[in-house]
Amino acid sequence: MIITNIPDFSQEQIEKLINIYGGKVEVIENLNDEDACNWEEVEILISYGNDVNAAFLDRCPNLKWVQAFQSGVELFPIEELQKRNIVLTNILGIHGIPMSEYTISMILHFTRDFPKYMENQRKHLWDREELVGEAHGKVAGIFGAGTIGQEVAKRLDFLGMKVYGLNTSGDIKPHFEKMFTHEEKIDLLQQCDYVILILPLTKQTENFIGEQELAVMKKDACLINIGRGALINESEFISAMKSKQIRGAALDVFVEDPLPEDSALWDLENVLITPHVAAKSVKFLDRCIEKFKINIVNYFNNKPLNNQIDLIRGY
């Protein structure tokens, strides 16, 4: 049996999964509900990671494979999966289009100074004296040059931007003009007009951007985080933005998601907040299902699964 605790599936999409699998597929509202299904029949789980814990895994002695319908897997109990020899795979290659479009929209938001024009509209003020900037020729630093990072780089290259990247090896990737390693982070930050975070969350990348990093960035630089909220030290970030250490930031992810109503981030005038929507698209689940279709064929033919997570490294 395949089960999923993703509530967003349409009936048509569930039927697609049934046709792919050829067996039973059930949507479970709460994985902690002991009476939700016959847990011993569960062999495959499709999930975002919520409610997946040791107690759930104990109820599923025949669970062999967990498919994350997203790229990030930090919500999954990696050590517990490793103990039970359960394979964890994620979805790559489907977020490039929506996340690239989100990034471009944020860059143009700041470059074309849309906040000023929105404020002028509220004031009924016609003011065209000030010249606006251009993205062309500006340096975009993409921190995380994987699949999504390369898609973003390709589209920023079309805008005529200089696209630099950071990854573990420092090896050059398609659509990047220069590449830096993690040890060269400060050097890259100093050159960027736009800092774009797409890194996975690991012990190495937690609090990747804090007081020191913000201090070396250009005063007119902008930060865009579409990776993970904990890449940024939020308390140090809030302090820096209050003192206008950099020009602005667009945040789509946060340490606590949803962002609490009393968070100081909401009230920062130079910060644009979006509710974790950079990767959202009407085509999202259909794209996930197409990727899953390839893996289910591999699974039944005892072939290696695509995008298998290294449970030791955590990504």
Side-chain angles (χ1 to χ4, degrees):
M1 183 198 301
I2 291 179
I3 64 168
T4 178
N5 64 333
I6 296 175
D8 304 324
F9 283 112
S10 66
Q11 187 56 43
E12 181 182 356
Q13 289 166 333
I14 291 295
E15 289 174 1
K16 281 184 182 179
L17 289 172
I18 292 172
N19 291 335
I20 291 168
Y21 179 52
K24 189 189 297 185
V25 177
E26 290 193 15
V27 178
I28 309 296
E29 289 186 11
N30 182 2
L31 297 184
N32 294 315
D33 182 355
E34 296 184 4
D35 300 321
C37 72
N38 184 349
W39 297 107
E40 291 190 357
E41 292 184 1
V42 176
E43 188 172 349
I44 300 168
L45 167 68
I46 299 172
S47 179
Y48 294 140
N50 50 307
D51 294 336
V52 181
N53 51 38
F56 161 73
L57 296 175
D58 286 340
R59 285 196 300 276
C60 303
N62 296 308
L63 181 64
K64 301 292 192 301
W65 169 28
V66 176
Q67 173 70 67
F69 261 28
Q70 58 191 17
S71 57
V73 295
E74 66 274 4
L75 292 180
F76 291 90
I78 301 295
E79 292 183 1
E80 296 295 333
L81 294 174
Q82 186 179 7
K83 287 178 188 177
R84 295 166 173 79
N85 293 317
I86 296 172
V87 173
L88 174 63
T89 57
N90 66 351
I91 296 287
L92 296 178
I94 67 166
H95 300 306
I97 292 173
M99 294 183 80
S100 296
E101 292 182 357
Y102 177 95
T103 302
I104 290 171
S105 70
M106 294 302 106
I107 288 174
L108 296 179
H109 171 84
F110 290 111
T111 300
R112 304 296 301 184
D113 207 1
F114 285 123
K116 182 188 75 172
Y117 295 116
M118 293 169 70
E119 178 63 23
N120 285 351
Q121 181 176 347
R122 283 191 287 269
K123 296 177 179 178
H124 296 195
L125 177 63
W126 183 275
D127 178 9
R128 59 190 302 269
E129 294 301 317
E130 186 177 339
L131 298 176
V132 295
E134 294 183 356
H136 184 89
K138 295 293 186 181
V139 175
I142 298 177
F143 291 72
T147 306
I148 296 172
Q150 291 171 41
E151 285 293 319
V152 175
K154 177 170 68 175
R155 287 163 175 79
L156 296 187
D157 185 40
F158 291 155
L159 289 181
M161 300 185 76
K162 297 178 181 178
V163 186
Y164 302 164
L166 177 142
N167 61 12
T168 302
S169 67
D171 294 339
I172 196 71
K173 299 294 181 180
H175 313 295
F176 287 91
E177 187 173 328
K178 294 181 182 179
M179 194 66 66
F180 297 73
T181 65
H182 282 261
E183 290 72 28
E184 299 170 312
K185 171 175 68 172
I186 297 299
D187 185 17
L188 176 54
L189 284 170
Q190 291 172 330
Q191 301 181 52
C192 293
D193 299 296
Y194 290 92
V195 172
I196 303 157
L197 302 180
I198 320 180
L199 291 162
L201 182 59
T202 66
K203 291 179 180 179
Q204 183 185 22
T205 62
E206 187 173 8
N207 293 324
F208 188 81
I209 297 291
E211 180 181 9
Q212 178 187 3
E213 290 76 19
L214 290 161
V216 302
M217 289 171 60
K218 295 179 180 180
K219 298 301 181 185
D220 60 350
C222 294
L223 174 66
I224 300 170
N225 189 8
I226 53 175
R228 288 291 178 261
L231 296 174
I232 296 175
N233 183 313
E234 284 189 357
S235 62
E236 295 179 4
F237 171 80
I238 290 169
S239 177
M241 298 310 291
K242 285 182 177 178
S243 63
K244 294 183 169 48
Q245 186 78 53
I246 61 174
R247 178 183 177 187
L251 305 181
D252 188 56
V253 286
F254 308 90
V255 173
E256 188 174 348
D257 186 342
L259 184 64
E261 290 184 12
D262 61 354
S263 171
L265 290 169
W266 289 107
D267 300 315
L268 296 172
E269 62 180 22
N270 49 356
V271 175
L272 176 60
I273 288 174
T274 56
H276 205 158
V277 295
K280 286 183 74 70
S281 164
V282 293
K283 299 181 180 180
F284 172 73
L285 284 176
D286 286 329
R287 287 172 175 154
C288 286
I289 289 171
E290 288 305 308
K291 293 286 185 179
F292 179 73
K293 182 178 180 180
I294 297 171
N295 254 356
I296 200 73
V297 171
N298 290 342
Y299 180 79
F300 283 121
N301 286 284
N302 294 315
K303 293 182 178 180
L305 302 183
N306 295 333
N307 305 322
Q308 185 167 332
I309 300 298
D310 184 325
L311 297 178
I312 297 176
R313 292 190 301 174
Y315 63 93

